[in-house]
Amino acid sequence: MTNDGPTPSPLLHLPGAVAANGIDAPVAAHYGSFNREQRALVAGEGFVDLSHHDVVRVSGEDRLTWLHSLTTQHLTDLPPRQWTGVLVLSPQGHVEHAFYGYDDGEAFLAHTEPGQGAPLVAFLDRMRFWSKVEVADVTADWALTWRPSSSGEGPYAAYELVPRDQLEAYAAAAGPAAGLWAFEALRIERGEPRLGLDTDHRTIPNEAGWIGPAVHLDKGCYRGQETVARVHTLGRPPRRLTLLHLDGSQEALPTPGAELRLGEKVVGVVGTSARHHELGPIALALVKRNVALDATLEVEGMPAGQEVLVDPEVGLHVRPRLR
């Protein structure tokens, strides 16, 4: 089945549900108290409805070796149901697609950003040639959730893919429901970027914390590998993903895409932001590598302190608590 556009989640009918905005509008921003919902997630309770994300299925006997040859991830020995991140790069090493999933023994099932399933399927279809694979957008059949009590290992193990017609039954068993605002605060805290929201068309994996979680440095050739290997070996990616701690005295959060300034100079761009129950307002930003780590920056009149996610000097370093 194909994705015919965003359909509001049935979980918007749960008590207290308030819809999110923009591309996230089909799911709930919160169910009455995003602070309480964050605290429940931190305690390992409940789940988040992310059913507006697109889902892609790759089947056929050649699927893992074929995906291995096209992408940044080592997939030929992927254990069953082990979640992993996967990127498709341009010849220049810029990130074109990002998806996250697992193989269930019959197919590789993965989620990507809302609206990105069809472009991903179109790209993969063009690359099939004589490989024994089939690619399909199965968003109409599968719904994404995030559940902190999941028992898997790795940075993406808390995500779950649920048959869409079982989403309400899943919610009843997995509750309490937490909204997107709670989820986004925790995602931003752990330094997990969203493609197209925390990145742009120039982003390379080394800038965004994807070395390791979504890029395997010891696999064979793939498109864009030269850029990744060169920057990793020499260090100093052009920009670095940074966690911003924003001035909490202002009510507004930064506009996605807002300029980040050091004095009069534009030194970066802000992506997603949220209010964390302990840290206060936080955001992800891509900052020029040569900006001092202790410099206080400014976005839309708000002072912003920096917390390192990507080391600007020694290739790439991702904080161990990314999960």
Side-chain angles (χ1 to χ4, degrees), residues 90-106:
S90 73
Q92 294 75 35
H94 301 136
V95 182
E96 293 186 339
H97 299 282
F99 51 105
Y100 312 88
Y102 61 86
D103 193 87
D104 64 5
E106 296 182 356

Side-chain angles (χ1 to χ4, degrees), residues 120-273:
L120 176 58
V121 167
F123 168 79
L124 293 175
D125 259 337
R126 291 198 303 272
M127 304 303 293
R128 284 192 303 158
F129 302 114
W130 296 281
S131 297
K132 296 177 181 177
V133 293
E134 296 293 334
V135 184
D137 184 332
V138 293
T139 309
D141 301 320
W142 291 90
L144 178 68
T145 67
W146 189 85
R147 192 176 184 183
S149 62
S150 296
S151 59
E153 298 181 355
Y156 308 115
Y159 290 101
E160 295 185 337
L161 287 165
V162 180
R164 191 166 289 273
D165 61 3
Q166 298 177 26
L167 182 59
E168 291 178 275
Y170 170 94
L180 194 71
W181 286 0
F183 170 80
E184 286 288 274
L186 301 182
R187 176 190 62 80
I188 291 168
E189 180 198 13
R190 63 181 182 264
E192 182 183 320
R194 290 180 66 178
L195 184 71
L197 298 178
D198 298 307
T199 69
D200 57 27
H201 68 284
R202 297 185 294 118
T203 301
I204 62 174
N206 313 66
E207 297 176 323
W210 271 315
I211 304 297
V215 177
H216 195 288
L217 290 172
D218 298 324
K219 60 164 287 185
C221 293
Y222 56 87
R223 191 169 72 167
Q225 181 190 28
E226 288 186 9
T227 298
V228 172
R230 181 174 66 252
V231 173
H232 183 77
T233 300
L234 299 178
R236 302 189 172 188
R239 300 176 296 176
R240 52 184 173 84
L241 189 71
T242 300
L243 179 65
L244 298 180
H245 293 267
L246 303 167
D247 178 10
S249 65
Q250 302 189 35
E251 281 192 29
L253 291 171
T255 305
E259 292 179 341
L260 190 63
R261 293 179 174 269
L262 177 59
E264 296 301 313
K265 292 182 61 177
V266 176
V267 295
V269 61
V270 176
T272 54
S273 59

Side-chain angles (χ1 to χ4, degrees), residues 238-311:
R239 300 176 296 176
R240 52 184 173 84
L241 189 71
T242 300
L243 179 65
L244 298 180
H245 293 267
L246 303 167
D247 178 10
S249 65
Q250 302 189 35
E251 281 192 29
L253 291 171
T255 305
E259 292 179 341
L260 190 63
R261 293 179 174 269
L262 177 59
E264 296 301 313
K265 292 182 61 177
V266 176
V267 295
V269 61
V270 176
T272 54
S273 59
R275 296 189 183 279
H276 192 278
H277 71 287
E278 291 182 339
L279 302 177
I282 55 176
L284 291 178
L286 285 172
V287 182
K288 290 182 178 178
R289 182 199 59 79
N290 58 2
V291 173
L293 301 179
D294 60 354
T296 298
L297 309 178
E298 184 178 283
V299 53
E300 296 181 334
M302 285 177 271
Q306 303 176 70
E307 181 176 340
V308 175
L309 297 175
V310 172
D311 189 327

